[in-house]
Amino acid sequence: MTEGSPGSPGTPPAPQASVYNVANLLTLVRILLVPVLVWLMLEDGTGWRVAAFAVFAVASITDKIDGDLARARGLVTDFGKIADPIADKALTGAALIILSALGELWWWVTIVILVREIGITLMRFVVIRYGVIPASKGGKLKTMLQVLAIGFYILPGPWDPIRWGLMAAALVVTVVTGLDYVVQAWRLRRGTPAAS
């Protein structure tokens, strides 16, 4: 029988993944680690900064793990789609703000990155009725460079050349991919809505 044919029960819809799954749990853990990271970064002493680096590293790794698990095991949920990017931006945003507040990173760098991240996220929600802007390879590279740069800024030690190089690369890729997303959104907006 064909689904939805008159007089037939039809084929039952595919079961939706429960919101209570390991991928969403890891996302929640990442969100809960943000205030822990902030607290550790605000404490004085090398040991505290090493602990902050460890927390940041663990939280960053959960981002990779929860995404892979969600896709591999069919655990993608609406909660995960919303919470995952929020967790990512909360983690990197909090670290950048604390680094700038401590005078270890120029404020303009933090502002450029945060404006791009928040702006692109809002733009994606605005144009979603016309279609979805998929994550690009450049976007994934941007995330990796940001995480590496922030990690080296948090980690105590004589890492300045590496910190500066990674942050410069992250900043360039962040801006370039942001402009690319704006162009994609503009083209999507000018085209036929996805629902048509």
Side-chain angles (χ1 to χ4, degrees), residues 36-118:
V36 177
L37 173 68
V38 171
W39 169 61
L40 291 172
M41 288 182 68
L42 291 175
E43 293 293 330
D44 288 328
T46 301
W48 293 105
R49 287 303 285 266
V50 171
F53 172 80
V55 168
F56 182 78
V58 168
S60 298
I61 291 169
T62 66
D63 180 31
K64 170 68 174 169
I65 296 174
D66 66 14
D68 289 347
L69 281 174
R71 288 183 290 272
R73 299 188 181 182
L75 301 178
V76 177
T77 63
D78 290 338
F79 171 82
K81 291 176 184 177
I82 296 171
D84 187 67
I86 290 175
D88 298 343
K89 287 164 182 55
L91 180 68
T92 56
L96 288 167
I97 289 170
I98 297 301
L99 287 168
S100 292
L102 293 173
E104 299 176 25
L105 179 65
W106 290 311
W107 271 109
W108 70 266
V109 173
T110 293
I111 291 169
V112 167
I113 292 175
L114 292 184
V115 166
R116 184 274 190 204
E117 295 297 335
I118 296 170

Side-chain angles (χ1 to χ4, degrees), residues 120-157:
I120 295 301
T121 299
L122 293 175
M123 184 191 68
R124 279 177 150 172
F125 279 114
V126 169
V127 302
I128 198 167
R129 63 177 176 160
Y130 301 103
V132 176
I133 302 175
S136 64
K137 291 181 179 179
K140 294 174 182 177
L141 174 62
K142 176 268 302 178
T143 300
M144 182 187 73
L145 287 171
Q146 285 183 4
V147 168
L148 287 173
I150 293 169
F152 273 101
Y153 267 90
I154 295 173
L155 187 65

